[in-house]
Amino acid sequence: MVPEIPETSILLFSYGTLQDKAVQLANFGRELTGRPDAMTGYVQHWVDITDPEVLKTSGKAQHPIVYASYDPKDEVRGTVFEVTQQELHAADTYEVSDYKRVSVLLKSGVHAWVYIQA
């Protein structure tokens, strides 16, 4: 059984590099624990990363990025994490301008912040 995350927590859904331990340690100073979930009505593509700090942290020149397709058959799988307000701000700083943070309803029925195509 998956432990429930309290409703008062800040939930952050990641389908990309925020799931990587090295990225988490660099941005949050700790490894996050999460549970699998998915976003419906979204599709994933790739974006070229040019920001030197993000490249150094992730070690990847391309990161996944999603945008709304509005087709309920489309689904992007990932992990939902419980984070603090400070960690959410750290994630905002990490993400490049190609992304914007929005709240989405995940397949599990919880709302979470996620970074999608700006």
Side-chain angles (χ1 to χ4, degrees), residues 8-100:
T8 57
S9 299
I10 299 172
L11 299 181
L12 177 63
F13 179 77
S14 173
Y15 53 85
T17 60
L18 288 175
Q19 296 177 94
D20 294 345
K21 181 180 177 179
V23 171
Q24 292 174 6
L25 291 173
N27 287 285
F28 311 128
R30 69 180 180 105
E31 187 175 354
L32 303 177
T33 55
R35 58 186 166 92
D37 213 326
M39 301 168 53
T40 55
Y42 287 83
V43 292
Q44 180 178 305
H45 289 281
W46 296 91
V47 64
D48 292 324
I49 300 298
T50 57
D51 183 287
E53 283 302 309
V54 175
L55 284 167
K56 180 181 170 185
T57 302
S58 74
K60 298 174 184 167
Q62 285 195 322
H63 288 192
I65 194 165
V66 299
Y67 65 88
S69 68
Y70 306 105
D71 184 341
K73 290 180 266 175
D74 290 332
E75 182 175 286
V76 175
R77 295 176 183 268
T79 306
V80 64
F81 299 106
E82 184 176 356
V83 297
T84 66
Q85 188 68 45
Q86 183 178 353
E87 290 167 336
L88 187 61
H89 288 302
D92 287 344
T93 302
Y94 168 73
E95 296 295 352
V96 296
S97 63
D98 297 283
Y99 297 87
K100 66 180 177 181

